[in-house]
Amino acid sequence: MFSENEKDIISDFYRRLDEIEDRKLQLFWETGCVTALFDTCFEDFADDNEEDEYTSFVFKVISVEGNVPIEISSAGYFIVNYHNFPNKIEVKP
């Protein structure tokens, strides 16, 4: 199901998708964090290498602290995958 590149990085999060539906999450990177809501996931591939297929996760931004390795759309959404997956994800109370 997952590529060799991504399975150790995203598989635990993927298995918990049902648990996080409609819950605020805090995603942490070394340079900052984002509070967000999980939206969806989809199969993706690198523009320059169609053989590099992977799973991407879409989130809706609530707040951002610091400098995080994501690109936020004008509608307030961002994507993470094994290329920029956070170091830690916590469910907010």
Side-chain angles (χ1 to χ4, degrees):
M1 172 171 207
F2 300 116
S3 72
E4 286 298 314
N5 292 334
E6 69 180 339
K7 71 179 177 182
D8 291 337
I9 299 171
I10 69 159
S11 60
D12 287 340
F13 179 74
Y14 189 85
R15 283 192 291 270
R16 297 184 60 210
L17 291 180
D18 288 340
E19 298 173 28
I20 64 168
E21 191 172 350
D22 299 324
R23 306 223 18 222
K24 286 183 184 178
L25 303 174
Q26 197 156 24
L27 293 78
F28 295 90
W29 290 268
E30 290 181 17
T31 57
C33 66
V34 175
T35 302
L37 293 170
F38 171 73
D39 185 74
T40 192
C41 62
F42 62 95
E43 291 300 311
D44 205 350
F45 61 91
D47 291 337
D48 59 344
N49 182 359
E50 292 185 26
E51 294 179 21
D52 184 17
E53 291 186 34
Y54 49 88
T55 303
S56 287
F57 302 92
V58 179
F59 295 86
K60 173 75 173 161
V61 172
I62 296 171
S63 65
V64 178
E65 295 177 32
N67 183 17
V68 291
I70 57 172
E71 184 176 324
I72 301 172
S73 73
S74 60
Y77 289 86
F78 66 96
I79 295 173
V80 297
N81 52 54
Y82 83 93
H83 295 286
N84 66 343
F85 205 76
N87 300 68
K88 178 171 77 170
I89 299 175
E90 294 179 355
V91 177
K92 300 271 290 179

